[in-house]
Amino acid sequence: MQQEKVTGFFYKNPSLKIREFLSYLTLRLGIIFSLNMQSTIIYFWIYQLTNDKLSLGLVGLAEVIPAIGCSFFSGHVVDENEKRKMVIRCLSGYIFIGCCLFGIALPITQAQLPIGASQCLIYLFVFVGGVIRAFYSPSMFSLFGLIVPREHYPNATSWSSMAWQMGAVLGPLAAGFLIAWIGIPFGLLGVVIIQMAMFLPLLKITVKPILKKAKEPILQSVTEGLRFVMKTPTLLAAQCLDMFSVLFGGAVALLPVYQKEILHVNEMGFGILRSAPGVGALLTLGLLAFLPLKTYPGRKLFVCVTGFAVSIIIFGISKNFYLSFFMLLFSGMFDAVSVVIRSTILQLVTPDEMRGRVSAVNTMFVSSSNELGDFESGVMAHWLGTVRAVVTGGCITLGVIAFTFFKAPQLREFSFEEKNKE
């Protein structure tokens, strides 16, 4: 009986005993699910309107510009405001965007709008979403630190990543199904309904204290967050590694091209391919719930990022749907481990009163690299062709990994145990 208690599921996952953390997981899952649904529909919609690879890259550019630009001051705003209220405002903004996109996608609206006008309006609301994201990401990151005790960060980060990946898996699958079943407009309406339902778990989280009491000029406040990241070698190396890996190694933006011109599958096949990295990540994160990462996290990070790059290269040259699916699946499995390690490093080394600002810098370094990577993929595919673009990006990623491995010994030797003792 005692042995069961010591080795039981909740003993290994103490963060799941925290009720507010369960509400946090539900909220994170629901919002990521809806945003991935929306993103998948938008990419499919844009390519159907334009049949242009570069237009896919412009979707990512439309989001990354405000996400980076607003991140210069969003962390300061988040640190000086109550975190739950900030998330409520961001969720309300996402609902507004969803309603507008639904209105644009309606057949009666499309009949009145030229293709160019529809495209510009889509980019406009993607841009507004990027502004909201600049505030949403640091708000959720800060809220995490106020809900979960520090000693449970590695375990809670695994579950938070699992919630994110589950949304990333199910969102594209649901989008592909809804596009094929009821079309783009009502798929976008489903996004709005899900986001409205997310107020239920959000309001179960209590109001949290504002830890940053001292008021200071915004420029000084923002500079402190950036200076902290630059002076923390382990954090800086982890963020740079992720940023360049995602920037050059991402291939998701080009999936509509692979679906239509290379693999020749239908809308459901597109949804399956889009969700494959998330499926792999979800499988790995489920395994990590029973076999937590404890030893040599820095070295494991480099191994997994290398596996991610190799999987992307093989996907790039594949013309077989099943091989492509499994390479995307493996890329998600490798990425899941590196996400948990990077996220835990970020949580452990960041002081509580600087969480908003440091997370905002993280958005500039890492989160926005997804959209900037989408733009890079679109531009390279336009210049080099789709296959060459993906393979070249994977090879550049391998070069970045080798460079970081030899130039960042602090990351290579990083240990969770030492940071937990601090």
Side-chain angles (χ1 to χ4, degrees):
M1 193 71 178
Q2 183 68 22
Q3 181 68 19
E4 183 180 350
K5 181 183 290 187
V6 172
T7 60
F9 178 79
F10 286 103
Y11 176 80
K12 293 182 178 180
N13 297 279
S15 62
L16 297 184
K17 297 179 182 179
I18 305 169
R19 289 189 177 183
E20 285 196 341
F21 182 60
L22 295 179
S23 296
Y24 178 92
L25 289 180
T26 305
L27 175 67
R28 184 163 168 81
L29 169 61
I31 292 180
I32 295 302
F33 174 84
S34 64
L35 292 179
N36 273 271
M37 268 185 68
Q38 188 178 74
S39 174
T40 303
I41 293 171
I42 286 173
Y43 275 105
F44 184 85
W45 186 12
I46 282 287
Y47 197 63
Q48 293 301 309
L49 286 174
T50 65
N51 204 37
D52 178 24
K53 300 166 189 173
L54 187 59
S55 66
L56 296 172
L58 293 177
V59 176
L61 186 64
E63 185 170 0
V64 75
I65 290 174
I68 292 178
C70 294
S71 291
F72 282 104
F73 59 86
S74 63
H76 169 81
V77 174
V78 170
D79 278 338
E80 293 195 342
N81 284 273
E82 199 277 312
K83 308 306 179 285
R84 191 186 73 160
K85 184 184 293 184
M86 290 297 299
V87 177
I88 289 173
R89 291 171 179 170
C90 293
L91 182 56
S92 300
Y94 280 134
I95 291 171
F96 170 76
I97 291 173
C99 290
C100 292
L101 288 171
F102 168 66
I104 295 169
L106 286 171
I108 189 171
T109 309
Q110 287 294 295
Q112 302 296 323
L113 285 176
I115 291 177
S118 296
Q119 188 177 355
C120 288
L121 285 172
I122 294 169
Y123 289 148
L124 171 64
F125 287 111
V126 169
F127 184 93
V128 177
V131 174
I132 295 173
R133 175 178 162 183
F135 292 88
Y136 169 76
S137 294
S139 297
M140 287 292 283
F141 178 82
S142 300
L143 192 60
F144 177 100
L146 295 171
I147 291 174
V148 179
R150 185 179 181 84
E151 64 269 20
H152 298 329
Y153 281 176
N155 176 250
T157 299
S158 294
W159 282 101
S160 179
S161 298
M162 187 182 297
W164 193 98
Q165 292 292 351
M166 190 174 292
V169 172
L170 300 179
L173 279 176
F177 175 74
L178 290 176
I179 290 171
W181 181 38
I182 54 177
I184 291 172
F186 290 100
L188 292 170
L189 179 60
V191 170
V192 175
I193 293 171
I194 293 166
Q195 290 175 347
M196 291 178 68
M198 287 304 102
F199 279 110
L200 294 175
L202 177 54
L203 295 176
K204 289 183 179 180
I205 298 174
T206 59
V207 174
K208 301 300 177 186
I210 301 172
L211 298 178
K212 184 176 181 293
K213 300 295 184 182
K215 299 289 183 179
E216 57 190 1
I218 185 170
L219 186 59
Q220 178 184 341
S221 177
V222 171
T223 304
E224 280 189 8
L226 189 58
R227 188 184 298 122
F228 175 82
V229 173
M230 294 300 180
K231 289 186 176 181
T232 310
T234 302
L235 181 57
L236 179 62
Q239 293 200 357
C240 288
L241 180 63
D242 181 65
M243 179 179 71
F244 288 109
S245 297
V246 174
L247 178 62
F248 294 111
V252 171
L254 297 176
L255 284 180
V257 184
Y258 273 88
Q259 174 245 335
K260 189 173 183 178
E261 300 178 10
I262 298 175
L263 301 176
H264 306 291
V265 293
N266 59 18
E267 292 87 349
M268 186 59 72
F270 168 68
I272 291 172
L273 288 173
R274 179 64 176 77
S275 65
V279 172
L282 195 58
L283 292 172
T284 302
L285 290 167
L287 184 62
L288 291 179
F290 296 93
L291 299 172
L293 287 168
K294 292 183 178 180
T295 59
Y296 306 112
R299 299 177 192 178
K300 290 175 181 176
L301 175 62
F302 282 103
V303 171
C304 290
V305 179
T306 301
F308 169 82
V310 172
S311 299
I312 291 299
I313 291 172
I314 298 174
F315 166 79
I317 60 178
S318 169
K319 294 184 179 180
N320 180 276
F321 174 79
Y322 296 103
L323 178 60
S324 298
F325 171 79
F326 280 108
M327 287 303 104
L328 290 174
L329 184 82
F330 290 145
S331 74
M333 295 178 74
F334 287 120
D335 190 49
V337 179
S338 61
V339 164
V340 171
I341 295 171
R342 292 192 308 265
S343 300
T344 305
I345 290 172
L346 186 64
Q347 289 285 356
L348 286 174
V349 304
T350 304
D352 289 337
E353 69 278 6
M354 293 184 66
R355 287 186 174 277
R357 284 165 288 172
V358 173
S359 179
V361 176
N362 180 65
T363 298
M364 288 188 283
F365 268 85
V366 179
S367 300
S368 298
S369 62
N370 290 290
E371 283 68 39
L372 199 57
D374 291 345
F375 176 66
E376 178 269 340
S377 297
V379 171
M380 287 189 68
H382 183 71
W383 288 345
L384 303 177
T386 304
V387 174
R388 288 180 182 176
V390 174
V391 173
T392 300
C395 292
I396 294 174
T397 301
L398 289 176
V400 170
I401 295 166
F403 178 83
T404 309
F405 182 83
F406 291 107
K407 290 292 183 178
Q410 298 93 340
L411 178 59
R412 197 170 62 232
E413 303 301 329
F414 182 80
S415 169
F416 290 154
E417 288 77 9
E418 291 179 7
K419 284 296 175 182
N420 272 319
K421 293 176 183 176
E422 292 180 4

